[in-house]
Short mmCIF file of all heavy atoms in Angstrom, two decimals:
data_model
loop_
_atom_site.label_atom_id
_atom_site.label_comp_id
_atom_site.label_asym_id
_atom_site.label_seq_id
_atom_site.Cartn_x
_atom_site.Cartn_y
_atom_site.Cartn_z
N MET Z 1 -15.44 -9.32 22.72
CA MET Z 1 -15.41 -7.87 22.52
C MET Z 1 -16.84 -7.32 22.66
O MET Z 1 -17.78 -7.89 22.14
CB MET Z 1 -14.85 -7.55 21.13
CG MET Z 1 -14.76 -6.07 20.85
SD MET Z 1 -13.97 -5.81 19.24
CE MET Z 1 -14.37 -4.13 19.00
N SER Z 2 -16.97 -6.21 23.35
CA SER Z 2 -18.29 -5.63 23.53
C SER Z 2 -18.76 -4.95 22.25
O SER Z 2 -17.98 -4.59 21.39
CB SER Z 2 -18.26 -4.62 24.67
OG SER Z 2 -17.40 -3.56 24.34
N THR Z 3 -20.06 -4.76 22.16
CA THR Z 3 -20.66 -4.08 21.01
C THR Z 3 -20.37 -2.59 21.09
O THR Z 3 -20.51 -1.98 22.15
CB THR Z 3 -22.19 -4.31 21.00
OG1 THR Z 3 -22.44 -5.71 20.98
CG2 THR Z 3 -22.83 -3.65 19.81
N LEU Z 4 -19.95 -2.02 19.97
CA LEU Z 4 -19.68 -0.59 19.93
C LEU Z 4 -20.97 0.18 19.72
O LEU Z 4 -21.84 -0.24 18.96
CB LEU Z 4 -18.70 -0.27 18.80
CG LEU Z 4 -17.33 -0.91 18.90
CD1 LEU Z 4 -16.49 -0.60 17.66
CD2 LEU Z 4 -16.60 -0.47 20.15
N HIS Z 5 -21.10 1.29 20.40
CA HIS Z 5 -22.26 2.17 20.26
C HIS Z 5 -21.81 3.42 19.50
O HIS Z 5 -21.03 4.22 20.03
CB HIS Z 5 -22.83 2.53 21.63
CG HIS Z 5 -23.29 1.33 22.40
ND1 HIS Z 5 -24.49 0.70 22.12
CD2 HIS Z 5 -22.71 0.64 23.39
CE1 HIS Z 5 -24.62 -0.34 22.92
NE2 HIS Z 5 -23.55 -0.40 23.71
N TRP Z 6 -22.26 3.55 18.26
CA TRP Z 6 -21.81 4.61 17.37
C TRP Z 6 -22.69 5.84 17.49
O TRP Z 6 -23.90 5.75 17.64
CB TRP Z 6 -21.82 4.12 15.92
CG TRP Z 6 -20.83 3.03 15.68
CD1 TRP Z 6 -21.08 1.69 15.66
CD2 TRP Z 6 -19.43 3.17 15.47
NE1 TRP Z 6 -19.93 0.99 15.44
CE2 TRP Z 6 -18.90 1.88 15.31
CE3 TRP Z 6 -18.58 4.27 15.39
CZ2 TRP Z 6 -17.54 1.66 15.08
CZ3 TRP Z 6 -17.23 4.05 15.16
CH2 TRP Z 6 -16.72 2.76 15.00
N GLN Z 7 -22.05 7.01 17.37
CA GLN Z 7 -22.75 8.30 17.38
C GLN Z 7 -22.30 9.08 16.14
O GLN Z 7 -21.11 9.17 15.85
CB GLN Z 7 -22.39 9.08 18.63
CG GLN Z 7 -23.05 10.43 18.71
CD GLN Z 7 -22.69 11.16 20.00
OE1 GLN Z 7 -22.09 10.61 20.91
NE2 GLN Z 7 -23.04 12.42 20.05
N LYS Z 8 -23.26 9.64 15.42
CA LYS Z 8 -22.96 10.41 14.22
C LYS Z 8 -22.44 11.79 14.61
O LYS Z 8 -22.90 12.39 15.57
CB LYS Z 8 -24.23 10.56 13.37
CG LYS Z 8 -24.03 11.28 12.07
CD LYS Z 8 -25.21 11.17 11.13
CE LYS Z 8 -26.48 11.71 11.71
NZ LYS Z 8 -27.56 11.81 10.74
N SER Z 9 -21.49 12.30 13.85
CA SER Z 9 -20.93 13.62 14.10
C SER Z 9 -22.01 14.69 14.07
O SER Z 9 -22.90 14.66 13.23
CB SER Z 9 -19.88 13.95 13.03
OG SER Z 9 -19.51 15.31 13.09
N SER Z 10 -21.90 15.64 14.97
CA SER Z 10 -22.87 16.75 15.01
C SER Z 10 -22.68 17.70 13.83
O SER Z 10 -23.54 18.52 13.56
CB SER Z 10 -22.72 17.52 16.32
OG SER Z 10 -21.43 18.07 16.42
N TYR Z 11 -21.58 17.58 13.10
CA TYR Z 11 -21.33 18.41 11.93
C TYR Z 11 -21.94 17.82 10.66
O TYR Z 11 -21.89 18.42 9.60
CB TYR Z 11 -19.83 18.62 11.72
CG TYR Z 11 -19.21 19.49 12.78
CD1 TYR Z 11 -18.56 18.92 13.87
CD2 TYR Z 11 -19.30 20.87 12.70
CE1 TYR Z 11 -18.00 19.72 14.85
CE2 TYR Z 11 -18.74 21.68 13.68
CZ TYR Z 11 -18.09 21.10 14.75
OH TYR Z 11 -17.55 21.89 15.72
N CYS Z 12 -22.50 16.65 10.75
CA CYS Z 12 -23.05 15.96 9.58
C CYS Z 12 -24.41 16.55 9.21
O CYS Z 12 -25.28 16.73 10.05
CB CYS Z 12 -23.21 14.48 9.90
SG CYS Z 12 -23.85 13.53 8.53
N GLN Z 13 -24.58 16.83 7.93
CA GLN Z 13 -25.86 17.29 7.41
C GLN Z 13 -26.69 16.07 7.00
O GLN Z 13 -26.16 15.01 6.70
CB GLN Z 13 -25.66 18.21 6.21
CG GLN Z 13 -24.87 19.45 6.52
CD GLN Z 13 -25.59 20.36 7.52
OE1 GLN Z 13 -26.79 20.55 7.43
NE2 GLN Z 13 -24.85 20.89 8.47
N GLU Z 14 -27.97 16.22 6.95
CA GLU Z 14 -28.87 15.13 6.57
C GLU Z 14 -28.53 14.63 5.16
O GLU Z 14 -28.38 15.41 4.24
CB GLU Z 14 -30.33 15.62 6.61
CG GLU Z 14 -31.35 14.52 6.44
CD GLU Z 14 -31.34 13.54 7.60
OE1 GLU Z 14 -31.10 13.94 8.75
OE2 GLU Z 14 -31.57 12.34 7.35
N GLY Z 15 -28.37 13.33 5.01
CA GLY Z 15 -28.14 12.73 3.70
C GLY Z 15 -26.70 12.71 3.25
O GLY Z 15 -26.38 12.15 2.21
N GLU Z 16 -25.78 13.31 4.00
CA GLU Z 16 -24.37 13.31 3.61
C GLU Z 16 -23.63 12.16 4.26
O GLU Z 16 -24.07 11.59 5.25
CB GLU Z 16 -23.71 14.62 4.06
CG GLU Z 16 -24.19 15.83 3.30
CD GLU Z 16 -23.41 17.08 3.69
OE1 GLU Z 16 -22.37 16.97 4.36
OE2 GLU Z 16 -23.86 18.16 3.30
N ALA Z 17 -22.47 11.82 3.67
CA ALA Z 17 -21.59 10.85 4.30
C ALA Z 17 -21.08 11.47 5.60
O ALA Z 17 -20.75 12.65 5.64
CB ALA Z 17 -20.43 10.51 3.38
N CYS Z 18 -21.02 10.69 6.65
CA CYS Z 18 -20.69 11.23 7.97
C CYS Z 18 -19.62 10.41 8.68
O CYS Z 18 -19.49 9.21 8.45
CB CYS Z 18 -21.93 11.23 8.85
SG CYS Z 18 -23.24 12.24 8.22
N VAL Z 19 -18.93 11.08 9.57
CA VAL Z 19 -18.01 10.41 10.47
C VAL Z 19 -18.82 9.95 11.68
O VAL Z 19 -19.67 10.68 12.18
CB VAL Z 19 -16.88 11.36 10.91
CG1 VAL Z 19 -16.04 10.75 12.01
CG2 VAL Z 19 -16.03 11.75 9.72
N HIS Z 20 -18.56 8.74 12.14
CA HIS Z 20 -19.21 8.18 13.32
C HIS Z 20 -18.13 7.85 14.33
O HIS Z 20 -17.04 7.42 13.97
CB HIS Z 20 -20.00 6.92 12.96
CG HIS Z 20 -21.14 7.18 12.03
ND1 HIS Z 20 -22.43 7.28 12.45
CD2 HIS Z 20 -21.17 7.39 10.70
CE1 HIS Z 20 -23.23 7.52 11.42
NE2 HIS Z 20 -22.47 7.59 10.34
N ILE Z 21 -18.44 8.03 15.61
CA ILE Z 21 -17.47 7.79 16.67
C ILE Z 21 -18.09 6.87 17.73
O ILE Z 21 -19.29 6.92 17.99
CB ILE Z 21 -17.02 9.12 17.31
CG1 ILE Z 21 -15.89 8.90 18.31
CG2 ILE Z 21 -18.20 9.86 17.94
CD1 ILE Z 21 -15.20 10.16 18.76
N SER Z 22 -17.24 6.02 18.29
CA SER Z 22 -17.63 5.17 19.40
C SER Z 22 -16.51 5.28 20.43
O SER Z 22 -15.35 4.96 20.13
CB SER Z 22 -17.80 3.72 18.95
OG SER Z 22 -18.11 2.90 20.05
N ALA Z 23 -16.84 5.77 21.61
CA ALA Z 23 -15.82 6.00 22.65
C ALA Z 23 -15.95 4.96 23.74
O ALA Z 23 -17.01 4.78 24.31
CB ALA Z 23 -15.98 7.39 23.22
N GLY Z 24 -14.85 4.29 24.01
CA GLY Z 24 -14.78 3.35 25.11
C GLY Z 24 -13.90 3.93 26.21
O GLY Z 24 -13.40 5.04 26.08
N PRO Z 25 -13.68 3.18 27.27
CA PRO Z 25 -12.89 3.71 28.38
C PRO Z 25 -11.43 3.99 28.01
O PRO Z 25 -10.81 4.89 28.56
CB PRO Z 25 -12.99 2.64 29.46
CG PRO Z 25 -13.54 1.44 28.80
CD PRO Z 25 -14.20 1.87 27.53
N GLU Z 26 -10.88 3.24 27.07
CA GLU Z 26 -9.47 3.42 26.71
C GLU Z 26 -9.24 3.67 25.23
O GLU Z 26 -8.14 4.03 24.83
CB GLU Z 26 -8.68 2.18 27.13
CG GLU Z 26 -8.68 1.97 28.63
CD GLU Z 26 -7.90 0.74 29.03
OE1 GLU Z 26 -7.08 0.25 28.23
OE2 GLU Z 26 -8.11 0.26 30.16
N THR Z 27 -10.27 3.47 24.40
CA THR Z 27 -10.09 3.55 22.95
C THR Z 27 -11.22 4.32 22.30
O THR Z 27 -12.37 4.18 22.68
CB THR Z 27 -10.03 2.13 22.34
OG1 THR Z 27 -9.06 1.36 23.04
CG2 THR Z 27 -9.65 2.17 20.88
N ILE Z 28 -10.85 5.13 21.31
CA ILE Z 28 -11.80 5.86 20.48
C ILE Z 28 -11.81 5.19 19.11
O ILE Z 28 -10.76 4.90 18.55
CB ILE Z 28 -11.37 7.34 20.31
CG1 ILE Z 28 -11.13 8.01 21.66
CG2 ILE Z 28 -12.36 8.11 19.46
CD1 ILE Z 28 -12.35 8.17 22.51
N HIS Z 29 -13.00 4.94 18.55
CA HIS Z 29 -13.12 4.32 17.24
C HIS Z 29 -13.83 5.30 16.31
O HIS Z 29 -14.82 5.93 16.70
CB HIS Z 29 -13.96 3.03 17.33
CG HIS Z 29 -13.46 2.07 18.35
ND1 HIS Z 29 -12.40 1.24 18.13
CD2 HIS Z 29 -13.88 1.82 19.62
CE1 HIS Z 29 -12.19 0.51 19.21
NE2 HIS Z 29 -13.08 0.85 20.13
N LEU Z 30 -13.33 5.42 15.08
CA LEU Z 30 -13.93 6.30 14.07
C LEU Z 30 -14.20 5.50 12.81
O LEU Z 30 -13.41 4.62 12.44
CB LEU Z 30 -12.97 7.45 13.71
CG LEU Z 30 -12.60 8.40 14.83
CD1 LEU Z 30 -11.45 9.30 14.38
CD2 LEU Z 30 -13.79 9.23 15.22
N THR Z 31 -15.28 5.83 12.13
CA THR Z 31 -15.58 5.23 10.84
C THR Z 31 -16.30 6.26 9.98
O THR Z 31 -16.83 7.24 10.48
CB THR Z 31 -16.41 3.94 10.99
OG1 THR Z 31 -16.44 3.25 9.73
CG2 THR Z 31 -17.82 4.20 11.47
N GLU Z 32 -16.31 6.04 8.69
CA GLU Z 32 -16.94 6.94 7.71
C GLU Z 32 -18.10 6.18 7.08
O GLU Z 32 -17.91 5.08 6.56
CB GLU Z 32 -15.90 7.33 6.66
CG GLU Z 32 -16.42 7.92 5.38
CD GLU Z 32 -17.17 9.22 5.57
OE1 GLU Z 32 -16.59 10.19 6.08
OE2 GLU Z 32 -18.35 9.25 5.20
N SER Z 33 -19.28 6.74 7.13
CA SER Z 33 -20.47 6.03 6.65
C SER Z 33 -20.43 5.72 5.16
O SER Z 33 -21.06 4.78 4.71
CB SER Z 33 -21.74 6.82 6.99
OG SER Z 33 -21.73 8.08 6.36
N ALA Z 34 -19.69 6.50 4.38
CA ALA Z 34 -19.64 6.28 2.93
C ALA Z 34 -18.52 5.32 2.53
O ALA Z 34 -18.35 5.03 1.35
CB ALA Z 34 -19.46 7.61 2.20
N ASP Z 35 -17.75 4.81 3.47
CA ASP Z 35 -16.64 3.90 3.17
C ASP Z 35 -17.17 2.50 2.90
O ASP Z 35 -17.67 1.85 3.81
CB ASP Z 35 -15.66 3.88 4.35
CG ASP Z 35 -14.47 2.96 4.12
OD1 ASP Z 35 -14.33 2.40 3.01
OD2 ASP Z 35 -13.68 2.80 5.06
N PRO Z 36 -17.04 2.03 1.66
CA PRO Z 36 -17.57 0.71 1.33
C PRO Z 36 -16.84 -0.43 2.05
O PRO Z 36 -17.38 -1.51 2.21
CB PRO Z 36 -17.41 0.60 -0.18
CG PRO Z 36 -16.36 1.60 -0.53
CD PRO Z 36 -16.43 2.69 0.51
N THR Z 37 -15.62 -0.20 2.53
CA THR Z 37 -14.88 -1.25 3.24
C THR Z 37 -15.24 -1.29 4.71
O THR Z 37 -14.85 -2.22 5.41
CB THR Z 37 -13.35 -1.03 3.12
OG1 THR Z 37 -13.00 0.16 3.83
CG2 THR Z 37 -12.92 -0.92 1.67
N GLN Z 38 -15.95 -0.28 5.19
CA GLN Z 38 -16.35 -0.17 6.60
C GLN Z 38 -15.14 -0.24 7.53
O GLN Z 38 -15.18 -0.86 8.59
CB GLN Z 38 -17.38 -1.24 6.95
CG GLN Z 38 -18.65 -1.11 6.15
CD GLN Z 38 -19.67 -2.18 6.47
OE1 GLN Z 38 -19.35 -3.23 7.02
NE2 GLN Z 38 -20.91 -1.91 6.13
N ALA Z 39 -14.04 0.41 7.10
CA ALA Z 39 -12.82 0.45 7.91
C ALA Z 39 -13.06 1.24 9.19
O ALA Z 39 -13.82 2.20 9.20
CB ALA Z 39 -11.69 1.08 7.12
N VAL Z 40 -12.41 0.83 10.27
CA VAL Z 40 -12.52 1.50 11.55
C VAL Z 40 -11.12 1.89 12.00
O VAL Z 40 -10.20 1.07 12.02
CB VAL Z 40 -13.17 0.59 12.62
CG1 VAL Z 40 -13.15 1.25 13.98
CG2 VAL Z 40 -14.60 0.24 12.22
N LEU Z 41 -10.95 3.17 12.33
CA LEU Z 41 -9.71 3.68 12.89
C LEU Z 41 -9.85 3.68 14.40
O LEU Z 41 -10.84 4.21 14.93
CB LEU Z 41 -9.44 5.11 12.41
CG LEU Z 41 -8.29 5.85 13.07
CD1 LEU Z 41 -6.96 5.23 12.65
CD2 LEU Z 41 -8.34 7.32 12.71
N SER Z 42 -8.91 3.07 15.09
CA SER Z 42 -8.96 3.02 16.55
C SER Z 42 -7.72 3.71 17.10
O SER Z 42 -6.62 3.55 16.57
CB SER Z 42 -8.99 1.57 17.04
OG SER Z 42 -10.16 0.94 16.58
N ALA Z 43 -7.90 4.49 18.17
CA ALA Z 43 -6.79 5.21 18.79
C ALA Z 43 -7.03 5.29 20.29
O ALA Z 43 -8.17 5.25 20.75
CB ALA Z 43 -6.69 6.62 18.21
N THR Z 44 -5.94 5.43 21.04
CA THR Z 44 -6.09 5.66 22.47
C THR Z 44 -6.71 7.03 22.67
O THR Z 44 -6.65 7.90 21.79
CB THR Z 44 -4.74 5.61 23.19
OG1 THR Z 44 -3.92 6.67 22.70
CG2 THR Z 44 -4.04 4.27 23.01
N SER Z 45 -7.28 7.25 23.83
CA SER Z 45 -7.88 8.55 24.14
C SER Z 45 -6.86 9.67 24.04
O SER Z 45 -7.14 10.75 23.52
CB SER Z 45 -8.50 8.53 25.53
OG SER Z 45 -9.54 7.59 25.58
N SER Z 46 -5.64 9.44 24.52
CA SER Z 46 -4.61 10.48 24.48
C SER Z 46 -4.17 10.77 23.05
O SER Z 46 -3.95 11.93 22.70
CB SER Z 46 -3.41 10.12 25.36
OG SER Z 46 -2.81 8.92 24.92
N ALA Z 47 -4.05 9.75 22.21
CA ALA Z 47 -3.67 9.98 20.81
C ALA Z 47 -4.77 10.73 20.06
O ALA Z 47 -4.50 11.63 19.26
CB ALA Z 47 -3.38 8.64 20.11
N PHE Z 48 -6.02 10.39 20.34
CA PHE Z 48 -7.14 11.08 19.70
C PHE Z 48 -7.18 12.54 20.17
O PHE Z 48 -7.41 13.45 19.37
CB PHE Z 48 -8.46 10.37 20.01
CG PHE Z 48 -9.62 10.94 19.28
CD1 PHE Z 48 -9.75 10.79 17.91
CD2 PHE Z 48 -10.61 11.65 19.96
CE1 PHE Z 48 -10.84 11.33 17.23
CE2 PHE Z 48 -11.69 12.18 19.29
CZ PHE Z 48 -11.81 12.02 17.92
N GLY Z 49 -6.94 12.78 21.44
CA GLY Z 49 -6.88 14.14 21.96
C GLY Z 49 -5.78 14.96 21.30
O GLY Z 49 -5.97 16.13 20.98
N ALA Z 50 -4.63 14.33 21.07
CA ALA Z 50 -3.52 15.02 20.39
C ALA Z 50 -3.90 15.35 18.95
O ALA Z 50 -3.57 16.43 18.45
CB ALA Z 50 -2.27 14.14 20.43
N LEU Z 51 -4.60 14.45 18.28
CA LEU Z 51 -5.06 14.71 16.91
C LEU Z 51 -6.00 15.91 16.89
O LEU Z 51 -5.84 16.82 16.08
CB LEU Z 51 -5.76 13.48 16.33
CG LEU Z 51 -6.48 13.69 14.99
CD1 LEU Z 51 -5.49 14.04 13.89
CD2 LEU Z 51 -7.30 12.49 14.63
N LEU Z 52 -6.98 15.94 17.78
CA LEU Z 52 -7.92 17.05 17.83
C LEU Z 52 -7.21 18.37 18.14
O LEU Z 52 -7.50 19.40 17.52
CB LEU Z 52 -9.01 16.79 18.87
CG LEU Z 52 -9.98 15.67 18.55
CD1 LEU Z 52 -10.99 15.52 19.69
CD2 LEU Z 52 -10.69 15.90 17.24
N HIS Z 53 -6.27 18.33 19.05
CA HIS Z 53 -5.50 19.53 19.39
C HIS Z 53 -4.75 20.05 18.16
O HIS Z 53 -4.77 21.25 17.87
CB HIS Z 53 -4.52 19.23 20.53
CG HIS Z 53 -3.63 20.38 20.86
ND1 HIS Z 53 -4.06 21.47 21.58
CD2 HIS Z 53 -2.33 20.61 20.55
CE1 HIS Z 53 -3.07 22.32 21.69
NE2 HIS Z 53 -2.00 21.83 21.09
N THR Z 54 -4.10 19.16 17.43
CA THR Z 54 -3.35 19.54 16.24
C THR Z 54 -4.26 20.12 15.17
O THR Z 54 -3.94 21.14 14.56
CB THR Z 54 -2.58 18.33 15.67
OG1 THR Z 54 -1.67 17.86 16.68
CG2 THR Z 54 -1.82 18.69 14.41
N LEU Z 55 -5.42 19.51 14.97
CA LEU Z 55 -6.36 20.01 13.97
C LEU Z 55 -6.89 21.39 14.34
O LEU Z 55 -7.07 22.25 13.48
CB LEU Z 55 -7.51 19.03 13.78
CG LEU Z 55 -7.15 17.69 13.14
CD1 LEU Z 55 -8.34 16.75 13.16
CD2 LEU Z 55 -6.63 17.89 11.72
N LYS Z 56 -7.14 21.62 15.62
CA LYS Z 56 -7.63 22.93 16.07
C LYS Z 56 -6.56 24.00 15.95
O LYS Z 56 -6.86 25.15 15.64
CB LYS Z 56 -8.13 22.83 17.51
CG LYS Z 56 -9.43 22.07 17.63
CD LYS Z 56 -9.85 21.94 19.08
CE LYS Z 56 -11.11 21.12 19.21
NZ LYS Z 56 -11.51 20.95 20.62
N GLU Z 57 -5.32 23.63 16.19
CA GLU Z 57 -4.21 24.58 16.12
C GLU Z 57 -3.84 24.91 14.67
O GLU Z 57 -3.30 25.98 14.40
CB GLU Z 57 -2.97 24.02 16.83
CG GLU Z 57 -3.15 23.92 18.33
CD GLU Z 57 -3.22 25.28 18.99
OE1 GLU Z 57 -2.44 26.17 18.66
OE2 GLU Z 57 -4.12 25.45 19.85
N ASN Z 58 -4.10 24.00 13.74
CA ASN Z 58 -3.73 24.15 12.33
C ASN Z 58 -4.94 23.91 11.44
O ASN Z 58 -4.95 22.96 10.65
CB ASN Z 58 -2.60 23.18 11.96
CG ASN Z 58 -1.38 23.39 12.81
OD1 ASN Z 58 -0.75 24.44 12.75
ND2 ASN Z 58 -1.06 22.42 13.64
N PRO Z 59 -5.97 24.74 11.51
CA PRO Z 59 -7.22 24.47 10.77
C PRO Z 59 -7.06 24.47 9.26
O PRO Z 59 -7.84 23.83 8.56
CB PRO Z 59 -8.16 25.58 11.23
CG PRO Z 59 -7.27 26.68 11.69
CD PRO Z 59 -6.04 25.98 12.25
N HIS Z 60 -6.07 25.10 8.72
CA HIS Z 60 -5.88 25.16 7.27
C HIS Z 60 -5.20 23.91 6.72
O HIS Z 60 -5.15 23.72 5.51
CB HIS Z 60 -5.09 26.40 6.88
CG HIS Z 60 -5.78 27.67 7.29
ND1 HIS Z 60 -6.97 28.08 6.72
CD2 HIS Z 60 -5.48 28.56 8.26
CE1 HIS Z 60 -7.35 29.21 7.29
NE2 HIS Z 60 -6.46 29.52 8.24
N HIS Z 61 -4.71 23.06 7.58
CA HIS Z 61 -4.04 21.82 7.14
C HIS Z 61 -4.95 20.61 7.23
O HIS Z 61 -4.54 19.52 6.92
CB HIS Z 61 -2.78 21.58 7.98
CG HIS Z 61 -1.73 22.60 7.75
ND1 HIS Z 61 -1.40 23.52 8.69
CD2 HIS Z 61 -0.97 22.87 6.66
CE1 HIS Z 61 -0.46 24.32 8.20
NE2 HIS Z 61 -0.19 23.94 6.97
N SER Z 62 -6.18 20.78 7.66
CA SER Z 62 -7.08 19.63 7.79
C SER Z 62 -7.96 19.48 6.57
O SER Z 62 -8.01 20.27 5.70
CB SER Z 62 -7.94 19.77 9.03
OG SER Z 62 -8.65 20.97 9.02
#
């Protein structure tokens, strides 16, 4: 497996827990810097796109 290259969310303020993303050709990986288990959520690009679309359409439910 190749090494993931993580990028911190642009919405993260200095010193706060942040979401980090690593995008590959077929899979998007997300993790939370404050998560002590260092869990990684992985999704296909299309599933991640659907999630973003839903969150943008329903901002009060996120």
Side-chain angles (χ1 to χ4, degrees):
M1 181 176 166
S2 64
T3 302
L4 298 176
H5 300 282
W6 294 98
Q7 179 179 351
K8 183 169 59 171
S9 169
S10 61
Y11 291 98
C12 181
Q13 299 296 318
E14 189 66 35
E16 291 185 12
C18 299
V19 171
H20 296 259
I21 187 168
S22 178
E26 297 180 18
T27 308
I28 306 294
H29 307 280
L30 298 169
T31 191
E32 164 62 60
S33 62
D35 180 5
T37 67
Q38 298 179 341
V40 174
L41 171 69
S42 298
T44 63
S45 297
S46 61
F48 186 70
L51 171 64
L52 292 179
H53 175 76
T54 300
L55 292 173
K56 288 177 183 179
E57 292 291 317
N58 301 295
H60 300 292
H61 294 110
S62 56

